């Protein structure tokens, strides 16, 4: 796989639009969670840039933890995911926000949110940068989605194609 920019067919969401929307979302989260113990859960790897920008848009204190998940046996259709890297914290004394890069079929977030809900956080919500509602295969709906996009494969702003293009500052449509 090469990192050739010829694979970038168009910029779908500019760095400026992402920045603006994150500021709005950060302000909304800060208002909702003021005075509450807040834990931001970054789901690696795709949401690392979004998480870094979102937590810096908060005007309230928060803690941050990381997890990484993988679909069982490479079969995404089962909707079962395994934890590759688990959280370090006991989340039972926190309001938890799971930060995701993109909700596509919804299988990953449905499974991750139900796994974390079993650990009895004070509350749990999912904030996703992108939502592809046309691709949904479950009844999962993120609590907050910054941008709805059509059914196209995207890269950039943390998201990859075979580990390439994560470093782009914008979200772009990938052309094979
Ligand atoms: P879901 O379980 O189908 O909702 O998939 C969610 C995960 O699939 C995301 O966290 C991404 O890692 C990956 N994914 C889905 N669509 C895209 C895309 O267009 N570009 C990059 N990764 C994607």
């Amino acid at each position: 796989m090469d990192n050739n920019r010829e694979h970038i067919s168009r910029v779908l969401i500019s760095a400026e639009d992402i920045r603006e929307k994150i500021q709005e979302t950060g302000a909304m989260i800060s208002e909702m969670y003021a005075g509450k113990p807040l834990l931001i859960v970054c789901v690696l790897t795709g949401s690392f840039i979004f998480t870094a920008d979102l937590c810096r848009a908060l005007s309230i204190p928060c803690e941050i933890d990381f997890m990484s998940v993988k679909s069982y046996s490479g079969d995404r259709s089962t909707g079962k995911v395994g934890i590759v890297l688990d959280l370090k914290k006991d989340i039972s004394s926190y309001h938890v926000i799971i930060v995701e890069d993109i909700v596509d079929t919804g299988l990953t977030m449905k499974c991750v949110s139900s796994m974390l809900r079993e650990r009895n956080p004070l509350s749990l919500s999912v904030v996703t940068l992108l939502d592809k509602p046309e691709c949904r295969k479950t009844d999962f709906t993120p609590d907050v989605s910054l941008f709805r996009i059509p059914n196209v494969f995207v890269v950039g702003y943390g998201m990859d194609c075979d580990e390439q293009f994560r470093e782009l500052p914008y979200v772009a449509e990938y052309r094979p």
Side-chain angles (χ1 to χ4, degrees), residues 8-176:
I8 301 304
S9 70
R10 66 184 166 126
V11 174
L12 217 57
I13 308 170
S14 70
E16 186 51 36
D17 287 350
I18 295 171
R19 209 169 11 249
E20 269 179 30
K21 203 79 177 161
I22 287 181
Q23 290 308 316
E24 274 174 32
T25 309
M28 183 187 76
I29 292 172
S30 302
E31 198 173 314
M32 285 176 69
Y33 291 88
K36 298 177 177 169
L38 176 61
L39 180 68
I40 301 286
V41 170
C42 173
V43 184
L44 296 169
T45 303
S47 70
F48 79 107
I49 293 179
F50 178 36
T51 305
D53 284 345
L54 184 62
C55 69
R56 284 179 292 180
L58 300 179
S59 57
I60 58 168
C62 69
E63 294 181 42
I64 299 165
D65 206 345
F66 298 87
M67 72 185 296
S68 177
V69 297
K70 208 179 177 71
S71 303
Y72 276 132
S73 328
D75 179 7
R76 292 180 60 192
S77 62
T78 64
K80 292 273 191 312
V81 300
I83 297 177
V84 177
L85 172 74
D86 205 348
L87 301 174
K88 289 191 214 72
K89 288 182 184 298
D90 172 354
I91 63 174
S92 61
S93 55
Y94 292 93
H95 292 271
V96 171
I97 298 179
I98 303 174
V99 178
E100 174 67 317
D101 53 354
I102 180 164
V103 176
D104 185 15
T105 63
L107 293 167
T108 306
M109 272 306 107
K110 186 175 173 118
C111 193
V112 169
S113 56
S114 76
M115 285 190 293
L116 293 193
R117 207 165 271 122
E118 282 169 16
R119 301 181 190 184
N120 297 314
L122 298 174
S123 69
L124 185 85
S125 61
V126 175
V127 174
T128 185
L129 178 73
L130 305 179
D131 189 7
K132 281 196 222 177
E134 287 168 34
C135 303
R136 205 68 95 250
K137 289 187 181 158
T138 66
D139 56 0
F140 178 80
T141 307
D143 299 279
V144 178
S145 91
L146 278 64
F147 300 94
R148 280 178 163 224
I149 61 166
N151 184 14
V152 293
F153 194 83
V154 293
V155 293
Y157 199 71
M159 288 164 284
D160 74 311
C161 181
D162 286 346
E163 297 302 327
Q164 303 298 313
F165 305 108
R166 291 192 196 276
E167 74 282 7
L168 298 177
Y170 47 78
V171 173
E173 182 176 346
Y174 175 80
R175 180 172 52 200

